[in-house]
């Protein structure tokens, strides 16, 4: 089934969209007092673009843009009156209040200053009877915006009651769209020396515990981010990237990112975590955003590689495989989040240095299919998959391929490749996409690759193939990925920012993304007591000699790292220094 048919599966009624109208106003002298930012002598004037975006029997959603055509003002207040008994129920990017028919919208702290010719935008939901019209007059700071008002298209009385429309469904949500820049991450990046070179890049918003939904420790919550996204969106399309990351018994093979929910707390996961997120994403206010969800990184592949008698198995992963709560949690998330037609679910698919071996490749695709058809989910709830999330595998390795051989010895036999079928993330993602289609996922699923930390630039970046003395010198001399071992995953020394986010960079790839915000730690390099459920994993300790999962090699981790998700200045500086393409 085509990805573009998703809307018709989820929505049973057609939405009615009322046309917008432009209210033009002439600039003129303001004789009356202007208490909200304009001086008494300032020339005042405005134009107002008031669009009824969605209207149905019982309510409406409107978007308003006010342009100051007079002298600069430091605060603003826009006033109008409803004529049809409408009642404002919710506003965003302005404080919208109502007394009787009279409505007042006041600026917030960040959008009060309007230079001459500058605009501010906000919106609101209101109850109504389906016949709302654009108000006849507006006042900005007490001064009338004079001009004619264009009519809205009247609703067809024969149409059935409608839900607010969700906008068009995109085959690739990233094409033709901007991507949300997280202002919290951007501020941290910009505060670093040289950080302004990348602080405008879009990164993922991690919902890694229940408290993150409302905003943990005074930070932005999910609604705060979505409201900020509406401001960034403007008149075009905008993608918001969310990481859904709070499964029961989370990260059963690692300790640095263990979560707050125990192995059996699937009901809490559903009712206290997924349900509130789904309710927010389903708000008609956000229907015009394209919301990409990365669903539960580092979860389902653990059931294949780190459970069930494998040499790398852990007791915690055996528990999760036995109770089925990873599959149930992922299926529930796909089902509930996918109810909003503007949500695009991408399941985390590990990376080539984890799933690329024959024993793991097909089995992982199979368990994804199980999860995607559990707890009411179907394959239609899956828009695609993401690889390399928060990992370091090179997007492409240009100086050797899996088909090369040296003196009759295949590259697959090198110590680095170790019989893997893939040498980099892009070849793995493209091949795994085909495998997923073969087990029953839709043929037009797309892949994302997290390139936030896989650039491996700087002075140590190879410029050509290695020596052909042996297959190992050939591979080691030419590979971009400079990790000691493919199994190393925590705060890797020498890593750099990778390809900047971009849409449709290669066949089958929806986008390169920075889902892991560069500069946020993978885990603490020593034990740090905390209330977030995050443990200490020796793979984050630079003195650790390794384990069976990394071939008993040194961890390659940077020293003095904070808890996972906390800002790690030394890592951010290293990533910028080793960026490729260079900054």
């Amino acid at each position: 089934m085509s990805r573009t048919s998703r809307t018709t599966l989820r929505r049973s009624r057609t939405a009615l969209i009322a046309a917008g109208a432009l209210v033009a106003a002439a600039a003129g002298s303001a004789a009356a007092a202007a208490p909200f930012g304009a001086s008494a002598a300032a020339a005042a004037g405005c134009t107002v673009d008031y669009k009824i975006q969605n209207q149905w029997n019982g309510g409406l959603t409107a978007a308003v843009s006010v342009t100051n055509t007079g002298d600069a003002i430091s605060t603003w207040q826009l006033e109008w009156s409803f004529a049809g008994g409408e009642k404002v129920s919710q506003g965003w990017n302005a404080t919208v209040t109502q007394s009787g028919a009279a409505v007042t919208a006041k600026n917030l702290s960040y959008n009060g200053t309007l230079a001459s010719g500058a605009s501010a935008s906000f919106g609101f939901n209101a109850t109504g009877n389906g016949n709302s019209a654009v108000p006849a007059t507006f006042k900005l700071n007490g001064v009338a915006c004079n001009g004619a008002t264009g009519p809205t298209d009247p609703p067809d009385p024969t149409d059935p009651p409608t839900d607010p429309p969700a906008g068009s469904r995109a085959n690739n949500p990233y094409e033709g769209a901007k991507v949300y820049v997280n202002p919290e991450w951007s501020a941290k990046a910009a505060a670093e020396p040289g950080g302004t070179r990348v602080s405008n890049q879009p990164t993922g918003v991690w919902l890694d515990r229940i408290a993150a939904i409302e905003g943990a420790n005074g930070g932005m919550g999910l609604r705060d981010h979505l409201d900020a996204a509406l401001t960034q969106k403007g008149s075009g399309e905008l993608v918001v990237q969310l990481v859904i990351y709070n499964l029961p018994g989370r990260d059963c093979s690692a300790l640095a990112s263990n979560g707050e929910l125990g192995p059996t707390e699937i009901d809490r996961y559903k009712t206290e975590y997924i349900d509130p997120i789904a309710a927010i994403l389903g708000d008609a206010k956000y229907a015009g955003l394209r919301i990409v969800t990365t669903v539960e990184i580092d979860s389902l592949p653990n059931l294949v590689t780190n459970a069930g008698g494998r040499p790398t198995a852990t007791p915690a992963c055996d528990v999760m495989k036995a109770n089925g709560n990873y599959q149930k949690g992922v299926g529930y998330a796909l089902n509930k989040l996918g109810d909003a037609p503007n949500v695009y679910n991408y399941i985390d698919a590990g990376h080539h240095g984890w799933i690329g071996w024959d024993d793991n490749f097909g089995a992982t695709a199979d368990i994804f299919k199980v999860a995607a058809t559990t707890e009411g989910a179907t394959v239609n709830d899956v828009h695609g998959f993401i690889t390399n999330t928060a990992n370091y595998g090179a997007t492409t390795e240009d100086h050797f391929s899996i088909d090369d051989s040296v003196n009759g010895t295949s590259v697959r036999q090198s110590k680095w490749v170790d019989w893997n079928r893939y040498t980099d993330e892009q070849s793995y993602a493209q091949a795994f996409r085909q495998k997923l289609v073969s087990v029953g996922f839709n043929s037009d699923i797309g892949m994302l690759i997290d390139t936030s930390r896989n650039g491996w630039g700087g002075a140590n970046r190879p410029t050509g193939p290695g020596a052909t003395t042996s297959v190992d010198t050939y591979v080691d001399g030419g590979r971009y990925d400079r990790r000691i071992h493919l199994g190393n995953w925590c705060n890797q020394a020498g890593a750099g920012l990778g390809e900047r986010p971009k849409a449709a960079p290669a066949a089958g790839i929806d986008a390169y993304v920075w889902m892991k915000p560069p500069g946020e730690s993978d885990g603490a390099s020593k034990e740090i007591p905390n209330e977030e459920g995050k443990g200490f994993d020796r793979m984050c300790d630079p003195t650790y000699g390794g384990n069976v999962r990394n071939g008993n090699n040194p961890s390659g981790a940077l020293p003095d790292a904070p808890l996972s998700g906390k800002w790690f200045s030394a890592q951010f500086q290293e990533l910028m220094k080793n960026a490729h393409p260079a900054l």
Side-chain angles (χ1 to χ4, degrees):
M1 181 173 292
S2 169
R3 280 155 50 174
T4 55
S5 67
R6 167 74 175 158
T7 301
T8 58
L9 286 169
R10 286 290 182 189
R11 304 185 67 78
S12 60
R13 292 176 287 175
T14 304
L16 172 67
I17 302 179
L22 177 66
V23 181
S29 298
F36 292 97
S39 69
C46 62
T47 60
V48 177
D49 187 14
Y50 182 111
K51 287 187 173 67
I52 301 176
Q53 293 183 313
N54 314 323
Q55 185 164 203
W56 61 101
N57 186 16
L60 67 119
T61 298
V64 184
S65 178
V66 55
T67 299
N68 176 31
T69 60
D71 290 346
I73 54 178
S74 59
T75 58
W76 54 265
Q77 174 176 298
L78 188 69
E79 300 169 277
W80 70 90
S81 293
F82 285 133
E86 301 90 335
K87 296 292 183 184
V88 172
S89 57
Q90 184 181 38
W92 51 95
N93 298 328
T95 300
V96 186
T97 58
Q98 185 171 353
S99 176
V103 183
T104 301
K106 296 181 180 180
N107 67 272
L108 300 181
S109 59
Y110 60 83
N111 63 355
T113 300
L114 290 181
S116 181
S119 300
S121 298
F122 63 95
F124 63 90
N125 291 331
T127 60
N129 58 13
N131 293 305
S132 185
V134 174
T137 59
F138 295 86
K139 290 183 179 180
L140 178 65
N141 291 355
V143 177
C145 298
N146 300 312
T149 301
T152 60
D153 293 335
D156 184 347
T158 64
D159 284 344
T162 58
D163 292 330
S168 59
R169 182 80 176 171
N171 189 56
N172 178 356
Y174 289 87
E175 283 196 297
K178 298 183 295 184
V179 186
Y180 174 62
V181 177
N182 180 345
E184 292 185 309
W185 175 84
S186 181
K188 293 174 184 176
E192 292 280 344
T196 54
R197 294 174 293 174
V198 296
S199 59
N200 64 340
Q201 293 292 342
T203 55
V205 174
W206 286 56
L207 302 174
D208 61 353
R209 49 190 158 140
I210 293 168
I213 301 171
E214 295 298 324
N217 301 321
M220 295 174 69
L222 178 54
R223 282 195 179 274
D224 297 322
H225 283 293
L226 296 178
D227 288 343
L230 290 172
T231 300
Q232 291 184 20
K233 180 179 183 296
S235 59
E237 299 290 348
L238 184 127
V239 172
V240 180
Q241 302 174 125
L242 306 177
V243 179
I244 307 301
Y245 186 46
N246 199 30
L247 273 178
R250 190 178 76 190
D251 281 6
C252 59
S253 69
L255 299 174
S257 47
N258 287 164
E260 64 186 346
L261 301 179
T264 63
E265 293 188 279
I266 186 67
D267 290 337
R268 282 194 68 199
Y269 176 79
K270 292 177 179 179
T271 60
E272 297 182 37
Y273 181 68
I274 293 298
D275 286 354
I277 293 173
I280 293 171
L281 300 189
D283 190 330
K285 173 181 177 180
Y286 306 121
L289 298 171
R290 297 178 180 180
I291 300 173
V292 164
T293 60
T294 294
V295 178
E296 296 295 354
I297 65 170
D298 293 346
S299 59
L300 297 173
N302 270 313
L303 304 182
V304 174
T305 66
N306 296 318
R310 292 284 190 101
T312 54
T314 69
C317 288
D318 283 336
V319 167
M320 299 316 300
K321 185 170 185 175
N323 67 25
N325 282 342
Y326 277 6
Q327 299 97 312
K328 294 173 187 175
V330 170
Y332 189 84
L334 293 172
N335 180 26
K336 293 298 181 179
L337 302 178
D339 281 344
N342 59 316
V343 168
Y344 301 78
N345 288 322
Y346 289 79
I347 301 176
D348 183 81
H351 52 86
H352 88 277
W354 185 5
I355 309 303
W357 283 273
D358 292 344
D359 288 349
N360 303 339
F361 196 77
T364 302
D366 290 338
I367 206 163
F368 287 159
K369 177 67 178 301
V370 171
T373 52
T374 297
E375 295 287 333
T378 75
V379 294
N380 296 315
D381 290 303
V382 180
H383 201 76
F385 292 78
I386 181 170
T387 77
N388 208 44
T389 310
N391 211 268
Y392 297 87
T395 303
T396 59
E397 290 283 8
D398 300 326
H399 301 316
F400 66 99
S401 77
I402 203 68
D403 298 321
D404 291 349
S405 62
V406 177
N407 302 323
T409 303
S410 167
V411 157
R412 291 191 67 206
Q413 294 175 254
S414 68
K415 291 179 181 178
W416 175 254
V417 178
D418 191 26
W419 296 102
N420 200 310
R421 291 283 181 187
Y422 306 96
T423 60
D424 54 38
E425 285 307 306
Q426 191 150 288
S427 62
Y428 162 71
Q430 290 169 326
F432 197 52
R433 178 184 175 278
Q434 293 300 319
K435 182 63 177 179
L436 291 160
V437 171
S438 75
V439 301
F441 287 95
N442 293 335
S443 61
D444 55 356
I445 56 172
M447 307 296 287
L448 306 176
I449 299 175
D450 188 348
T451 61
S452 59
R453 304 183 303 174
N454 71 348
W456 297 104
N460 293 326
R461 184 177 177 84
T463 58
T468 55
T469 309
S470 69
V471 71
D472 287 323
T473 58
Y474 176 70
V475 170
D476 289 341
R479 60 182 167 93
Y480 298 138
D481 188 338
R482 307 312 297 170
R483 284 178 290 176
I484 299 169
H485 189 272
L486 271 173
N488 288 356
W489 54 266
C490 193
N491 300 325
Q492 291 298 285
L497 301 169
E499 290 277 356
R500 313 304 180 254
K502 66 175 69 172
I509 309 299
D510 279 354
Y512 294 152
V513 298
W514 283 9
M515 201 60 71
K516 172 71 173 182
E520 292 190 1
S521 174
D522 294 320
S525 52
K526 61 183 179 181
E527 188 167 2
I528 299 176
N530 66 94
E531 298 179 352
E532 299 178 26
K534 295 172 181 176
F536 167 53
D537 196 298
R538 289 296 306 279
M539 286 297 290
C540 301
D541 177 358
T543 69
Y544 184 49
N547 55 45
V548 67
R549 284 187 289 281
N550 81 329
N552 295 299
N553 284 285
S555 69
L558 292 168
D560 303 319
L563 289 172
S564 63
K566 305 301 182 184
W567 188 254
F568 190 8
S569 177
Q571 184 203 51
F572 187 72
Q573 289 295 328
E574 180 124 331
L575 292 173
M576 290 196 295
K577 179 181 71 174
N578 297 320
H580 188 87
L583 299 179

